[in-house]
Amino acid sequence: KPLDLNQQEELPESKLAFAFIGFCSEQGVKRNKGRVGTALAPDFIRGQMQIFRVLFRRSKIYDAGNILCDEISMEEGQRLLGLAVEKLLEMKMFPIVLGGGHETTFGHFQGQMQI
């Protein structure tokens, strides 16, 4: 189910809720002289997951969209990712960051440290 983190939504009660959030950036990969293309990873991963069956009947799965980093710095993107992760955790959801490069880790970390 889509989830807009900019809206205050009433979510159904669930003991176990997951939320995917994409981090579309390859700036870290470029800085490390790696293989570019990681900005496309979140949507590619989602496409591959369409064939998965959900076996957890009591869990809820949400998609919080993507953080686009085309026109912002990597550090600003990581800050935005941290805010998104923080909000998901406040909503009692388990955030799953979809991305390519290692730069996803610091943004994820920033969000967890705020809780």
Side-chain angles (χ1 to χ4, degrees):
K1 178 178 177 186
L3 175 66
D4 185 348
L5 293 179
N6 296 317
Q7 301 285 330
Q8 188 68 12
E9 295 188 35
E10 283 296 318
L11 299 174
E13 284 291 318
S14 177
K15 291 186 178 186
L16 187 58
F18 299 92
F20 295 110
I21 183 147
F23 189 66
C24 299
S25 174
E26 56 191 11
Q27 296 175 33
V29 174
K30 285 180 182 178
R31 289 181 189 184
N32 292 321
K33 301 192 183 358
R35 290 178 51 194
V36 295
T38 55
L40 304 174
D43 290 335
F44 179 79
I45 294 168
R46 284 183 183 99
Q48 297 300 306
M49 288 191 302
Q50 289 179 1
I51 62 170
F52 293 168
R53 291 186 323 157
V54 177
L55 300 177
F56 299 105
R57 299 287 182 226
R58 295 185 189 134
S59 66
K60 303 289 182 194
I61 300 176
Y62 297 90
D63 190 333
N66 290 332
I67 295 174
L68 304 175
C69 300
D70 293 341
E71 298 180 13
I72 60 175
S73 70
M74 182 178 74
E75 292 76 14
E76 177 64 10
Q78 289 171 323
R79 186 186 73 77
L80 294 173
L81 177 59
L83 292 172
V85 167
E86 178 182 2
K87 184 158 187 175
L88 292 170
L89 291 171
E90 287 172 352
M91 296 168 74
K92 307 292 187 230
M93 295 183 149
F94 187 93
I96 301 173
V97 179
L98 305 176
H102 295 296
E103 66 266 29
T104 59
T105 306
F106 187 61
H108 198 175
F109 168 77
Q110 288 177 331
Q112 288 189 324
M113 291 308 298
Q114 297 304 315
I115 299 298

PDB file of all heavy atoms in Angstrom, residues 8-40:
ATOM      1  N   GLN A   8      -0.445  13.056   7.407  1.00  0.00           N
ATOM      2  CA  GLN A   8      -0.682  12.351   8.665  1.00  0.00           C
ATOM      3  C   GLN A   8      -1.776  11.328   8.392  1.00  0.00           C
ATOM      4  O   GLN A   8      -2.932  11.677   8.227  1.00  0.00           O
ATOM      5  CB  GLN A   8      -1.120  13.331   9.758  1.00  0.00           C
ATOM      6  CG  GLN A   8      -1.196  12.729  11.126  1.00  0.00           C
ATOM      7  CD  GLN A   8       0.168  12.342  11.686  1.00  0.00           C
ATOM      8  OE1 GLN A   8       1.198  12.715  11.154  1.00  0.00           O
ATOM      9  NE2 GLN A   8       0.170  11.589  12.757  1.00  0.00           N
ATOM     10  N   GLU A   9      -1.413  10.081   8.282  1.00  0.00           N
ATOM     11  CA  GLU A   9      -2.367   9.034   7.940  1.00  0.00           C
ATOM     12  C   GLU A   9      -2.679   8.177   9.152  1.00  0.00           C
ATOM     13  O   GLU A   9      -1.810   7.902   9.962  1.00  0.00           O
ATOM     14  CB  GLU A   9      -1.811   8.132   6.834  1.00  0.00           C
ATOM     15  CG  GLU A   9      -1.614   8.832   5.512  1.00  0.00           C
ATOM     16  CD  GLU A   9      -1.240   7.851   4.419  1.00  0.00           C
ATOM     17  OE1 GLU A   9      -1.738   6.714   4.428  1.00  0.00           O
ATOM     18  OE2 GLU A   9      -0.449   8.235   3.558  1.00  0.00           O
ATOM     19  N   GLU A  10      -3.928   7.766   9.243  1.00  0.00           N
ATOM     20  CA  GLU A  10      -4.324   6.778  10.241  1.00  0.00           C
ATOM     21  C   GLU A  10      -4.061   5.406   9.639  1.00  0.00           C
ATOM     22  O   GLU A  10      -4.626   5.053   8.607  1.00  0.00           O
ATOM     23  CB  GLU A  10      -5.801   6.922  10.586  1.00  0.00           C
ATOM     24  CG  GLU A  10      -6.092   8.078  11.513  1.00  0.00           C
ATOM     25  CD  GLU A  10      -5.458   7.907  12.884  1.00  0.00           C
ATOM     26  OE1 GLU A  10      -5.496   6.777  13.419  1.00  0.00           O
ATOM     27  OE2 GLU A  10      -4.913   8.891  13.405  1.00  0.00           O
ATOM     28  N   LEU A  11      -3.191   4.669  10.257  1.00  0.00           N
ATOM     29  CA  LEU A  11      -2.834   3.357   9.739  1.00  0.00           C
ATOM     30  C   LEU A  11      -3.549   2.282  10.538  1.00  0.00           C
ATOM     31  O   LEU A  11      -3.778   2.439  11.740  1.00  0.00           O
ATOM     32  CB  LEU A  11      -1.326   3.155   9.819  1.00  0.00           C
ATOM     33  CG  LEU A  11      -0.504   4.160   9.021  1.00  0.00           C
ATOM     34  CD1 LEU A  11       0.966   3.953   9.304  1.00  0.00           C
ATOM     35  CD2 LEU A  11      -0.773   4.034   7.537  1.00  0.00           C
ATOM     36  N   PRO A  12      -3.901   1.191   9.883  1.00  0.00           N
ATOM     37  CA  PRO A  12      -4.543   0.103  10.619  1.00  0.00           C
ATOM     38  C   PRO A  12      -3.594  -0.480  11.656  1.00  0.00           C
ATOM     39  O   PRO A  12      -2.385  -0.480  11.469  1.00  0.00           O
ATOM     40  CB  PRO A  12      -4.869  -0.927   9.532  1.00  0.00           C
ATOM     41  CG  PRO A  12      -4.112  -0.527   8.333  1.00  0.00           C
ATOM     42  CD  PRO A  12      -3.701   0.899   8.482  1.00  0.00           C
ATOM     43  N   GLU A  13      -4.173  -0.921  12.740  1.00  0.00           N
ATOM     44  CA  GLU A  13      -3.364  -1.544  13.788  1.00  0.00           C
ATOM     45  C   GLU A  13      -2.705  -2.811  13.249  1.00  0.00           C
ATOM     46  O   GLU A  13      -3.353  -3.625  12.601  1.00  0.00           O
ATOM     47  CB  GLU A  13      -4.240  -1.902  14.988  1.00  0.00           C
ATOM     48  CG  GLU A  13      -4.613  -0.717  15.839  1.00  0.00           C
ATOM     49  CD  GLU A  13      -3.419  -0.148  16.579  1.00  0.00           C
ATOM     50  OE1 GLU A  13      -2.598  -0.920  17.104  1.00  0.00           O
ATOM     51  OE2 GLU A  13      -3.308   1.083  16.615  1.00  0.00           O
ATOM     52  N   SER A  14      -1.433  -2.942  13.503  1.00  0.00           N
ATOM     53  CA  SER A  14      -0.702  -4.127  13.091  1.00  0.00           C
ATOM     54  C   SER A  14       0.483  -4.285  14.021  1.00  0.00           C
ATOM     55  O   SER A  14       1.161  -3.314  14.342  1.00  0.00           O
ATOM     56  CB  SER A  14      -0.227  -3.993  11.641  1.00  0.00           C
ATOM     57  OG  SER A  14       0.536  -5.113  11.278  1.00  0.00           O
ATOM     58  N   LYS A  15       0.720  -5.497  14.441  1.00  0.00           N
ATOM     59  CA  LYS A  15       1.869  -5.749  15.301  1.00  0.00           C
ATOM     60  C   LYS A  15       3.165  -5.676  14.519  1.00  0.00           C
ATOM     61  O   LYS A  15       4.214  -5.435  15.078  1.00  0.00           O
ATOM     62  CB  LYS A  15       1.741  -7.109  15.973  1.00  0.00           C
ATOM     63  CG  LYS A  15       0.648  -7.156  16.993  1.00  0.00           C
ATOM     64  CD  LYS A  15       0.658  -8.473  17.717  1.00  0.00           C
ATOM     65  CE  LYS A  15      -0.431  -8.455  18.768  1.00  0.00           C
ATOM     66  NZ  LYS A  15      -0.405  -9.619  19.612  1.00  0.00           N
ATOM     67  N   LEU A  16       3.068  -5.894  13.216  1.00  0.00           N
ATOM     68  CA  LEU A  16       4.253  -5.930  12.389  1.00  0.00           C
ATOM     69  C   LEU A  16       3.974  -5.188  11.088  1.00  0.00           C
ATOM     70  O   LEU A  16       3.147  -5.622  10.293  1.00  0.00           O
ATOM     71  CB  LEU A  16       4.635  -7.391  12.105  1.00  0.00           C
ATOM     72  CG  LEU A  16       5.936  -7.646  11.389  1.00  0.00           C
ATOM     73  CD1 LEU A  16       7.118  -7.063  12.150  1.00  0.00           C
ATOM     74  CD2 LEU A  16       6.145  -9.144  11.198  1.00  0.00           C
ATOM     75  N   ALA A  17       4.638  -4.052  10.892  1.00  0.00           N
ATOM     76  CA  ALA A  17       4.459  -3.266   9.674  1.00  0.00           C
ATOM     77  C   ALA A  17       5.834  -2.905   9.102  1.00  0.00           C
ATOM     78  O   ALA A  17       6.734  -2.496   9.831  1.00  0.00           O
ATOM     79  CB  ALA A  17       3.658  -2.006   9.960  1.00  0.00           C
ATOM     80  N   PHE A  18       5.964  -3.072   7.809  1.00  0.00           N
ATOM     81  CA  PHE A  18       7.192  -2.754   7.083  1.00  0.00           C
ATOM     82  C   PHE A  18       6.910  -1.610   6.130  1.00  0.00           C
ATOM     83  O   PHE A  18       5.801  -1.497   5.603  1.00  0.00           O
ATOM     84  CB  PHE A  18       7.664  -3.952   6.254  1.00  0.00           C
ATOM     85  CG  PHE A  18       7.978  -5.173   7.063  1.00  0.00           C
ATOM     86  CD1 PHE A  18       7.011  -6.133   7.303  1.00  0.00           C
ATOM     87  CD2 PHE A  18       9.241  -5.358   7.591  1.00  0.00           C
ATOM     88  CE1 PHE A  18       7.293  -7.260   8.043  1.00  0.00           C
ATOM     89  CE2 PHE A  18       9.535  -6.483   8.342  1.00  0.00           C
ATOM     90  CZ  PHE A  18       8.557  -7.443   8.566  1.00  0.00           C
ATOM     91  N   ALA A  19       7.910  -0.780   5.890  1.00  0.00           N
ATOM     92  CA  ALA A  19       7.774   0.290   4.906  1.00  0.00           C
ATOM     93  C   ALA A  19       9.051   0.372   4.084  1.00  0.00           C
ATOM     94  O   ALA A  19      10.147   0.512   4.633  1.00  0.00           O
ATOM     95  CB  ALA A  19       7.489   1.621   5.579  1.00  0.00           C
ATOM     96  N   PHE A  20       8.900   0.261   2.778  1.00  0.00           N
ATOM     97  CA  PHE A  20      10.020   0.443   1.861  1.00  0.00           C
ATOM     98  C   PHE A  20      10.183   1.928   1.579  1.00  0.00           C
ATOM     99  O   PHE A  20       9.199   2.643   1.421  1.00  0.00           O
ATOM    100  CB  PHE A  20       9.761  -0.282   0.531  1.00  0.00           C
ATOM    101  CG  PHE A  20       9.682  -1.771   0.665  1.00  0.00           C
ATOM    102  CD1 PHE A  20       8.480  -2.419   0.502  1.00  0.00           C
ATOM    103  CD2 PHE A  20      10.807  -2.519   0.943  1.00  0.00           C
ATOM    104  CE1 PHE A  20       8.384  -3.791   0.617  1.00  0.00           C
ATOM    105  CE2 PHE A  20      10.733  -3.894   1.057  1.00  0.00           C
ATOM    106  CZ  PHE A  20       9.515  -4.527   0.899  1.00  0.00           C
ATOM    107  N   ILE A  21      11.417   2.377   1.524  1.00  0.00           N
ATOM    108  CA  ILE A  21      11.704   3.731   1.074  1.00  0.00           C
ATOM    109  C   ILE A  21      12.933   3.676   0.179  1.00  0.00           C
ATOM    110  O   ILE A  21      13.946   3.076   0.534  1.00  0.00           O
ATOM    111  CB  ILE A  21      11.888   4.720   2.242  1.00  0.00           C
ATOM    112  CG1 ILE A  21      12.106   6.114   1.694  1.00  0.00           C
ATOM    113  CG2 ILE A  21      13.008   4.316   3.158  1.00  0.00           C
ATOM    114  CD1 ILE A  21      11.550   7.201   2.538  1.00  0.00           C
ATOM    115  N   GLY A  22      12.793   4.234  -1.014  1.00  0.00           N
ATOM    116  CA  GLY A  22      13.887   4.206  -1.975  1.00  0.00           C
ATOM    117  C   GLY A  22      14.809   5.397  -1.805  1.00  0.00           C
ATOM    118  O   GLY A  22      14.367   6.504  -1.519  1.00  0.00           O
ATOM    119  N   PHE A  23      16.088   5.171  -1.995  1.00  0.00           N
ATOM    120  CA  PHE A  23      17.088   6.240  -1.945  1.00  0.00           C
ATOM    121  C   PHE A  23      17.781   6.256  -3.301  1.00  0.00           C
ATOM    122  O   PHE A  23      18.671   5.443  -3.564  1.00  0.00           O
ATOM    123  CB  PHE A  23      18.077   5.996  -0.806  1.00  0.00           C
ATOM    124  CG  PHE A  23      19.004   7.150  -0.549  1.00  0.00           C
ATOM    125  CD1 PHE A  23      18.514   8.351  -0.072  1.00  0.00           C
ATOM    126  CD2 PHE A  23      20.357   7.028  -0.776  1.00  0.00           C
ATOM    127  CE1 PHE A  23      19.361   9.417   0.175  1.00  0.00           C
ATOM    128  CE2 PHE A  23      21.215   8.076  -0.528  1.00  0.00           C
ATOM    129  CZ  PHE A  23      20.726   9.276  -0.051  1.00  0.00           C
ATOM    130  N   CYS A  24      17.340   7.153  -4.161  1.00  0.00           N
ATOM    131  CA  CYS A  24      17.820   7.222  -5.549  1.00  0.00           C
ATOM    132  C   CYS A  24      19.039   8.130  -5.636  1.00  0.00           C
ATOM    133  O   CYS A  24      18.924   9.328  -5.930  1.00  0.00           O
ATOM    134  CB  CYS A  24      16.704   7.717  -6.459  1.00  0.00           C
ATOM    135  SG  CYS A  24      15.270   6.659  -6.467  1.00  0.00           S
ATOM    136  N   SER A  25      20.180   7.576  -5.365  1.00  0.00           N
ATOM    137  CA  SER A  25      21.428   8.341  -5.399  1.00  0.00           C
ATOM    138  C   SER A  25      22.558   7.441  -5.869  1.00  0.00           C
ATOM    139  O   SER A  25      22.570   6.250  -5.584  1.00  0.00           O
ATOM    140  CB  SER A  25      21.759   8.873  -4.002  1.00  0.00           C
ATOM    141  OG  SER A  25      23.029   9.496  -3.996  1.00  0.00           O
ATOM    142  N   GLU A  26      23.465   8.046  -6.599  1.00  0.00           N
ATOM    143  CA  GLU A  26      24.695   7.341  -6.957  1.00  0.00           C
ATOM    144  C   GLU A  26      25.898   8.250  -6.733  1.00  0.00           C
ATOM    145  O   GLU A  26      26.972   7.998  -7.243  1.00  0.00           O
ATOM    146  CB  GLU A  26      24.639   6.814  -8.386  1.00  0.00           C
ATOM    147  CG  GLU A  26      24.356   7.841  -9.441  1.00  0.00           C
ATOM    148  CD  GLU A  26      24.053   7.200 -10.780  1.00  0.00           C
ATOM    149  OE1 GLU A  26      23.853   5.977 -10.846  1.00  0.00           O
ATOM    150  OE2 GLU A  26      24.028   7.941 -11.763  1.00  0.00           O
ATOM    151  N   GLN A  27      25.683   9.291  -5.941  1.00  0.00           N
ATOM    152  CA  GLN A  27      26.761  10.239  -5.690  1.00  0.00           C
ATOM    153  C   GLN A  27      27.910   9.609  -4.920  1.00  0.00           C
ATOM    154  O   GLN A  27      29.075   9.889  -5.195  1.00  0.00           O
ATOM    155  CB  GLN A  27      26.208  11.459  -4.963  1.00  0.00           C
ATOM    156  CG  GLN A  27      25.217  12.228  -5.808  1.00  0.00           C
ATOM    157  CD  GLN A  27      24.572  13.357  -5.051  1.00  0.00           C
ATOM    158  OE1 GLN A  27      25.193  13.978  -4.191  1.00  0.00           O
ATOM    159  NE2 GLN A  27      23.314  13.627  -5.343  1.00  0.00           N
ATOM    160  N   GLY A  28      27.603   8.760  -3.955  1.00  0.00           N
ATOM    161  CA  GLY A  28      28.657   8.073  -3.216  1.00  0.00           C
ATOM    162  C   GLY A  28      29.439   7.127  -4.101  1.00  0.00           C
ATOM    163  O   GLY A  28      30.664   7.024  -4.002  1.00  0.00           O
ATOM    164  N   VAL A  29      28.731   6.440  -4.995  1.00  0.00           N
ATOM    165  CA  VAL A  29      29.388   5.520  -5.925  1.00  0.00           C
ATOM    166  C   VAL A  29      30.327   6.297  -6.848  1.00  0.00           C
ATOM    167  O   VAL A  29      31.463   5.877  -7.101  1.00  0.00           O
ATOM    168  CB  VAL A  29      28.333   4.736  -6.743  1.00  0.00           C
ATOM    169  CG1 VAL A  29      28.986   3.891  -7.807  1.00  0.00           C
ATOM    170  CG2 VAL A  29      27.484   3.881  -5.814  1.00  0.00           C
ATOM    171  N   LYS A  30      29.871   7.456  -7.329  1.00  0.00           N
ATOM    172  CA  LYS A  30      30.723   8.290  -8.195  1.00  0.00           C
ATOM    173  C   LYS A  30      31.952   8.767  -7.440  1.00  0.00           C
ATOM    174  O   LYS A  30      33.063   8.754  -7.991  1.00  0.00           O
ATOM    175  CB  LYS A  30      29.934   9.495  -8.713  1.00  0.00           C
ATOM    176  CG  LYS A  30      28.954   9.153  -9.793  1.00  0.00           C
ATOM    177  CD  LYS A  30      28.217  10.403 -10.257  1.00  0.00           C
ATOM    178  CE  LYS A  30      27.185  10.074 -11.311  1.00  0.00           C
ATOM    179  NZ  LYS A  30      26.428  11.264 -11.736  1.00  0.00           N
ATOM    180  N   ARG A  31      31.769   9.190  -6.200  1.00  0.00           N
ATOM    181  CA  ARG A  31      32.911   9.668  -5.402  1.00  0.00           C
ATOM    182  C   ARG A  31      33.941   8.570  -5.194  1.00  0.00           C
ATOM    183  O   ARG A  31      35.135   8.839  -5.123  1.00  0.00           O
ATOM    184  CB  ARG A  31      32.439  10.170  -4.035  1.00  0.00           C
ATOM    185  CG  ARG A  31      31.671  11.464  -4.086  1.00  0.00           C
ATOM    186  CD  ARG A  31      31.262  11.905  -2.697  1.00  0.00           C
ATOM    187  NE  ARG A  31      30.356  13.034  -2.753  1.00  0.00           N
ATOM    188  CZ  ARG A  31      29.899  13.667  -1.691  1.00  0.00           C
ATOM    189  NH1 ARG A  31      30.248  13.269  -0.471  1.00  0.00           N
ATOM    190  NH2 ARG A  31      29.073  14.685  -1.816  1.00  0.00           N
ATOM    191  N   ASN A  32      33.469   7.336  -5.100  1.00  0.00           N
ATOM    192  CA  ASN A  32      34.373   6.209  -4.888  1.00  0.00           C
ATOM    193  C   ASN A  32      34.815   5.551  -6.187  1.00  0.00           C
ATOM    194  O   ASN A  32      35.427   4.494  -6.167  1.00  0.00           O
ATOM    195  CB  ASN A  32      33.703   5.167  -3.989  1.00  0.00           C
ATOM    196  CG  ASN A  32      33.523   5.671  -2.588  1.00  0.00           C
ATOM    197  OD1 ASN A  32      34.392   6.355  -2.052  1.00  0.00           O
ATOM    198  ND2 ASN A  32      32.403   5.358  -1.983  1.00  0.00           N
ATOM    199  N   LYS A  33      34.458   6.183  -7.303  1.00  0.00           N
ATOM    200  CA  LYS A  33      34.825   5.700  -8.634  1.00  0.00           C
ATOM    201  C   LYS A  33      34.304   4.284  -8.901  1.00  0.00           C
ATOM    202  O   LYS A  33      34.978   3.450  -9.487  1.00  0.00           O
ATOM    203  CB  LYS A  33      36.329   5.786  -8.839  1.00  0.00           C
ATOM    204  CG  LYS A  33      36.835   7.218  -8.688  1.00  0.00           C
ATOM    205  CD  LYS A  33      38.221   7.390  -9.139  1.00  0.00           C
ATOM    206  CE  LYS A  33      38.803   8.770  -8.956  1.00  0.00           C
ATOM    207  NZ  LYS A  33      38.062   9.837  -8.427  1.00  0.00           N
ATOM    208  N   GLY A  34      33.058   4.052  -8.458  1.00  0.00           N
ATOM    209  CA  GLY A  34      32.410   2.758  -8.665  1.00  0.00           C
ATOM    210  C   GLY A  34      31.540   2.762  -9.910  1.00  0.00           C
ATOM    211  O   GLY A  34      31.594   3.685 -10.722  1.00  0.00           O
ATOM    212  N   ARG A  35      30.737   1.740 -10.057  1.00  0.00           N
ATOM    213  CA  ARG A  35      29.837   1.605 -11.211  1.00  0.00           C
ATOM    214  C   ARG A  35      28.555   2.379 -10.957  1.00  0.00           C
ATOM    215  O   ARG A  35      27.825   2.081 -10.018  1.00  0.00           O
ATOM    216  CB  ARG A  35      29.519   0.137 -11.451  1.00  0.00           C
ATOM    217  CG  ARG A  35      30.719  -0.639 -11.973  1.00  0.00           C
ATOM    218  CD  ARG A  35      30.424  -2.090 -12.173  1.00  0.00           C
ATOM    219  NE  ARG A  35      29.208  -2.292 -12.962  1.00  0.00           N
ATOM    220  CZ  ARG A  35      28.592  -3.448 -13.059  1.00  0.00           C
ATOM    221  NH1 ARG A  35      29.061  -4.501 -12.414  1.00  0.00           N
ATOM    222  NH2 ARG A  35      27.510  -3.564 -13.799  1.00  0.00           N
ATOM    223  N   VAL A  36      28.282   3.357 -11.808  1.00  0.00           N
ATOM    224  CA  VAL A  36      27.070   4.150 -11.640  1.00  0.00           C
ATOM    225  C   VAL A  36      25.852   3.341 -12.083  1.00  0.00           C
ATOM    226  O   VAL A  36      25.977   2.306 -12.736  1.00  0.00           O
ATOM    227  CB  VAL A  36      27.154   5.477 -12.429  1.00  0.00           C
ATOM    228  CG1 VAL A  36      28.245   6.359 -11.865  1.00  0.00           C
ATOM    229  CG2 VAL A  36      27.348   5.233 -13.897  1.00  0.00           C
ATOM    230  N   GLY A  37      24.685   3.821 -11.714  1.00  0.00           N
ATOM    231  CA  GLY A  37      23.445   3.140 -12.022  1.00  0.00           C
ATOM    232  C   GLY A  37      22.650   2.818 -10.768  1.00  0.00           C
ATOM    233  O   GLY A  37      21.513   2.369 -10.841  1.00  0.00           O
ATOM    234  N   THR A  38      23.248   3.075  -9.609  1.00  0.00           N
ATOM    235  CA  THR A  38      22.585   2.727  -8.355  1.00  0.00           C
ATOM    236  C   THR A  38      21.352   3.585  -8.085  1.00  0.00           C
ATOM    237  O   THR A  38      20.488   3.181  -7.312  1.00  0.00           O
ATOM    238  CB  THR A  38      23.558   2.852  -7.167  1.00  0.00           C
ATOM    239  OG1 THR A  38      24.105   4.178  -7.156  1.00  0.00           O
ATOM    240  CG2 THR A  38      24.674   1.846  -7.272  1.00  0.00           C
ATOM    241  N   ALA A  39      21.244   4.746  -8.717  1.00  0.00           N
ATOM    242  CA  ALA A  39      20.058   5.592  -8.528  1.00  0.00           C
ATOM    243  C   ALA A  39      18.803   4.900  -9.059  1.00  0.00           C
ATOM    244  O   ALA A  39      17.693   5.213  -8.651  1.00  0.00           O
ATOM    245  CB  ALA A  39      20.249   6.936  -9.206  1.00  0.00           C
ATOM    246  N   LEU A  40      18.987   3.941  -9.948  1.00  0.00           N
ATOM    247  CA  LEU A  40      17.859   3.207 -10.516  1.00  0.00           C
ATOM    248  C   LEU A  40      17.478   1.986  -9.679  1.00  0.00           C
ATOM    249  O   LEU A  40      16.460   1.350  -9.946  1.00  0.00           O
ATOM    250  CB  LEU A  40      18.210   2.752 -11.939  1.00  0.00           C
ATOM    251  CG  LEU A  40      18.644   3.853 -12.917  1.00  0.00           C
ATOM    252  CD1 LEU A  40      19.102   3.240 -14.224  1.00  0.00           C
ATOM    253  CD2 LEU A  40      17.535   4.853 -13.120  1.00  0.00           C
TER     254      LEU A  40
END
